[in-house]
Amino acid sequence: MSVARARAVCRHWAHSRRVLGYGALCLLLALPIGSPLGMARSASLPVLRWADEGVADLVTLDPASAGDENARLALRFVFEGLVRQAPNLTVTAAAAYRWTVSTDGRTYTFWLRPDLRFGDGTPVTSADVVYSLDRALSPAFSSTANLYVLGTIEGAAARSAGRSKTLSGVRALSPDVVRITLTAPAGSFLARLGLPEVAIVPKQRILRLGSRWTEHAVGTGPFIVQSWQHGHALLLQPNPYYYGPRPRLSLSVVFVPEPTAAFKLFQNGALDVMGSIAFPADQVFRIEGDPQFHRTPVLATTYLQLNERHKPLDDPRVRAALAHALNKPPLVSAVFGGLAQATDGILPPGLPGYDPHLLGARYNPALARALLAQAGYPGGRGFPALVFSADEGTQNLRLASAVVQQWHDVLGITVGIKQAEHNAYNQRLTKLAFQIAPVAWTADWPDPQNFLTQLLHSGSHNNNGGWSNAEFDRLVDRADQLVGDTSQRLSLYRRAEAIALQAAAVIPIANPQAGILIRSTVVGLQVAGGGVAVPDWSRVRVGAS
């Protein structure tokens, strides 16, 4: 995924740069009964008030153009695909109640649930599934990440580029059976099908209403959009045709531009859930110990990317020296506050395949100095001038300063810092015009392929550092295409990760944690996988404040 998408996780650690002033906060706290926050008192059903931090409004409610976590939070309430992600990160049935995979791993056949309907009562057929996937990959949405997610489907690239008018790899075999054919086996394909971008959308409703269809969007998920009050909130009502346990409450998704403001709204009783997108890191120590406060590992890793096209970063001894010179726990505590943990591994905790015993270079000043001397720079003498590129923002500058200072103290080398505006920073990484730079990578789907193959395979466009290892490539290639043997897949990925860590292909720094507040009067919600999970909407209750 692009660096801009990958870095979204940073918002769990620090304030958003979108500022909500004191006057705006007072306005939110004083909203009248007819306002989004006041709807809890006026609706016939109890209302669960859920913060969507970091935006004043959603960019979209169209799954095919989902481009950020704020939209994805809302989309998951309204839309589902053939399958969905369970709280334990496994793939479970959604619109499809069963499926089969061919022996060569390339053909998936899905059977839709009997009497499956959209939220307006319209029957869902295989034609809607074909339309949804074809639409997501059509040229109209070529600027999105849909090809990145669905590119393994046969004909996806041709459809996205406009060279084909249909998506050849998706076919309706009957009104309730869909077949999807891939160009090659992909062990992560089912996990990708659980993403909001792959949700089933109502073909006839879209053709009839055009772009206006999202104002009162319906899907096959547990809620429908009653009203989208732009700049305020989404009011969602239970989907009366939902195939699963149906909600017994309404849901108000409240847009709060600044996480600190959302925190204050929760403290004042105006929200029931906050922190799904961002939690103000400077409030963690204030709220620590409150039973309403929950931590959960985010499937993300922040690491230092070393551009091996620049000497002496092509020398594994230099990379290892830089890695062994970092004392990460105090660094992470000082830079990220209370919502991150230091790490020496690439895969984050909670991700399938994560091995807490598989570690890269740990803090060892003596070894770091010895390795640098072996590389020809004893005491740092003769070490060339390097630049640490930093994204805009105080936190990013703190990270750069802390890392550079430790390298100077342990190795005797001086590394400069060059901070850039966010878009310029991303372009610098994309164009490989950097030497050392931090990257925060968030799982797009919960599979090691999304970290190891995407970030370090020789042929990946996200391998900005240029590291290459034939054995690593061979292992992840095998794991990527292995279907049906999860244990063997994860074993291959672990072996590949060990190779990358041994070579200091990157320097892992931290794994973020999400901080989430859930009011004690709310029951039926779980904190897992970096967010809030709902195993059974019919069991979610909102008690008296």
Side-chain angles (χ1 to χ4, degrees), residues 245-248 523-525 536-541:
R246 294 169 188 168
R248 301 183 181 183
V523 297
L525 303 182
D536 183 342
W537 271 107
S538 69
R539 296 180 179 272
V540 179
R541 297 286 188 276

Side-chain angles (χ1 to χ4, degrees), residues 51-99:
D52 196 341
E53 303 93 3
V55 291
D57 201 353
L58 297 181
V59 175
T60 183
L61 257 181
D62 189 331
S65 57
D68 57 56
E69 289 305 311
N70 297 98
R72 289 185 180 93
L73 173 66
L75 289 169
R76 288 186 175 97
F77 297 131
V78 179
F79 298 95
E80 287 186 346
L82 292 166
V83 299
R84 61 183 174 86
Q85 181 182 303
N88 64 357
L89 302 184
T90 60
V91 174
T92 189
Y97 71 94
R98 74 181 182 98
W99 58 86

